[in-house]
Amino acid sequence: MKVLVFGSFNIDKVYMLPHLPVKGETLYCKDYGVHVGGKGLNQALAFKKAGAEVFAAGKVGAEDGAYLTDYLSAGGVDVSAVDGTGTYTGHTIIEVDPEGQNQMILFGGANREIKKEDCDAILEKHGDADLILMEYETSCVEYMLERARKAGMRTAINPSPFVKEVKELPFEHADIIILNEFEGQSITGETEVKKVLTALYALNKGEIILTLGSKGATYYNGGREISVPAFKVDAIDTTGAGDTFTGYCLYALLSGKSPEYALRFGAAASALEVTRPGAAETIPDKEEVLEFLEQH
Ligand code: RIB
């Protein structure tokens, strides 16, 4: 299975705090770390660890982007379509509280310098992939989604993070929409899960995968609605949990597994990921995920 992940590559600066700060508050950190991250990087690694052949595409800064591409390469992801000539590499300031909840400040940098001609060149090279996955941290997502679908590719979009422009995405070109409850509610204006699913399905007439945090995850394709509960674990850092779920769940779905299995596979991977601090570096290996599934 060949997967093209068109996405963001960020340096994550993670601050472990006694609680998330309120306006005007100054806090001492309990711990600090610098990690590889970005939704594209995390999702590419999760897909790779699940078992796919993965090609990453996007843009990083000329000065320090190799920190991210070297990590991906070492993890077996092809980075030949990651342009290393950007001005600044994207970075994220991530504040984490003792319960593992976070808030982030995102500097897009090179991720937002991608142009339409870059998308054309990426598709020229990797238009034969079985799936293209993208999120909303890069520029040109609208163009890439439409162009990839018109080129005959199977398309998946994780419309994250939610900003008002996400509502204008051409979802009709997405075979799969994979997102969390907040994003689903924000895009559709609905609050009940069933209504969110129906409204999202009306946008793409394809497959919807909605994660619901501690309530589990749901799959909907206009006919079948399948839900699985979440695994109960002690979360330390939830950063990257959604990306881990995305890579593992989509891998299983593309491999022909049932939606129920795909949801459980994704949920098991993300349950393991949240028990460790960090994002990309804490995505579990497939063997660990399979073992966890056997035990639960
Ligand atoms: O989804 C988690 C990711 O979001 C982090 O790695 C951070 O860089 C932001 O892109």
Side-chain angles (χ1 to χ4, degrees), residues 160-177:
S160 176
F162 177 79
V163 286
K164 64 178 186 333
E165 290 79 9
V166 161
K167 285 184 165 191
E168 310 307 322
L169 277 168
F171 287 110
E172 68 275 18
H173 298 300
D175 293 301
I176 303 170
I177 306 175

Side-chain angles (χ1 to χ4, degrees), residues 8-13 35-43 90-94 102 104 106 135 137 158 160-161 238-243 279-280:
S8 62
F9 307 93
N10 297 329
I11 295 173
D12 287 355
K13 298 168 186 237
H35 303 276
V36 298
K39 293 189 191 305
L41 183 147
N42 300 339
Q43 292 173 2
H91 76 253
T92 314
I93 290 171
I94 305 177
N102 62 42
M104 303 188 195
L106 183 60
E135 23 70 24
E137 287 188 346
N158 169 224
S160 176
T238 56
T239 314
D243 302 329

Side-chain angles (χ1 to χ4, degrees), residues 83-99:
D83 177 352
T85 64
T87 44
Y88 296 104
T89 297
H91 76 253
T92 314
I93 290 171
I94 305 177
E95 299 162 349
V96 183
D97 75 8
E99 280 73 50

Side-chain angles (χ1 to χ4, degrees), residues 22-288:
V22 295
K23 200 172 173 181
E25 185 176 17
T26 301
L27 281 174
Y28 275 111
C29 292
K30 292 161 94 179
D31 205 356
Y32 166 71
V34 178
H35 303 276
V36 298
K39 293 189 191 305
L41 183 147
N42 300 339
Q43 292 173 2
L45 272 176
F47 240 126
K48 175 69 192 167
K49 288 196 169 194
E53 188 186 4
V54 181
F55 295 78
K59 195 162 189 167
V60 292
E63 208 173 296
D64 50 3
Y67 169 58
L68 304 177
T69 49
D70 287 353
Y71 189 86
L72 275 175
S73 280
V77 173
D78 185 302
V79 293
S80 57
V82 180
D83 177 352
T85 64
T87 44
Y88 296 104
T89 297
H91 76 253
T92 314
I93 290 171
I94 305 177
E95 299 162 349
V96 183
D97 75 8
E99 280 73 50
Q101 299 305 311
N102 62 42
Q103 58 190 31
M104 303 188 195
I105 298 171
L106 183 60
F107 170 71
N111 296 307
R112 313 285 306 170
E113 292 170 6
I114 298 168
K115 299 188 173 53
K116 288 180 181 174
E117 49 270 35
D118 300 320
C119 296
D120 293 342
I122 291 165
L123 290 180
E124 187 84 16
K125 208 168 170 187
H126 294 301
D128 61 338
D130 297 300
L131 179 87
I132 180 170
L133 168 64
M134 57 197 93
E135 23 70 24
Y136 204 68
E137 287 188 346
T138 68
S139 47
C140 279
V141 176
E142 297 78 359
Y143 180 77
M144 190 56 130
L145 185 56
E146 187 169 350
R147 177 85 172 63
R149 172 58 98 70
K150 285 190 174 151
M153 292 182 84
R154 189 168 179 192
T155 56
I157 182 143
N158 169 224
S160 176
F162 177 79
V163 286
K164 64 178 186 333
E165 290 79 9
V166 161
K167 285 184 165 191
E168 310 307 322
L169 277 168
F171 287 110
E172 68 275 18
H173 298 300
D175 293 301
I176 303 170
I177 306 175
I178 182 163
L179 71 180
N180 69 28
E181 189 173 21
F182 169 76
E183 291 152 359
Q185 290 173 335
S186 305
I187 291 168
T188 62
E190 300 288 353
T191 48
E192 282 170 43
V193 170
K194 179 70 197 182
K195 286 186 178 167
V196 170
L197 290 169
T198 312
L200 286 169
Y201 177 76
L203 296 175
N204 78 330
K205 305 282 193 301
E207 295 175 287
I208 310 296
I209 299 165
L210 187 69
T211 58
L212 303 164
S214 59
K215 291 173 284 171
T218 298
Y219 168 95
Y220 184 61
N221 66 1
R224 300 170 70 198
E225 183 182 331
I226 295 151
S227 296
V228 302
F231 294 103
K232 284 193 176 51
V233 290
D234 289 328
I236 290 183
D237 181 0
T238 56
T239 314
D243 302 329
T244 303
F245 178 91
T246 296
Y248 268 89
C249 176
L250 290 182
Y251 173 80
L253 209 56
L254 255 70
S255 305
K257 300 281 190 205
S258 69
E260 184 179 6
Y261 181 88
L263 293 177
R264 273 176 56 78
F265 197 48
S270 60
L272 286 164
E273 197 276 336
V274 301
T275 58
R276 306 147 188 174
E281 290 124 332
T282 56
I283 297 169
D285 290 332
K286 187 177 193 168
E287 293 66 36
E288 242 186 304

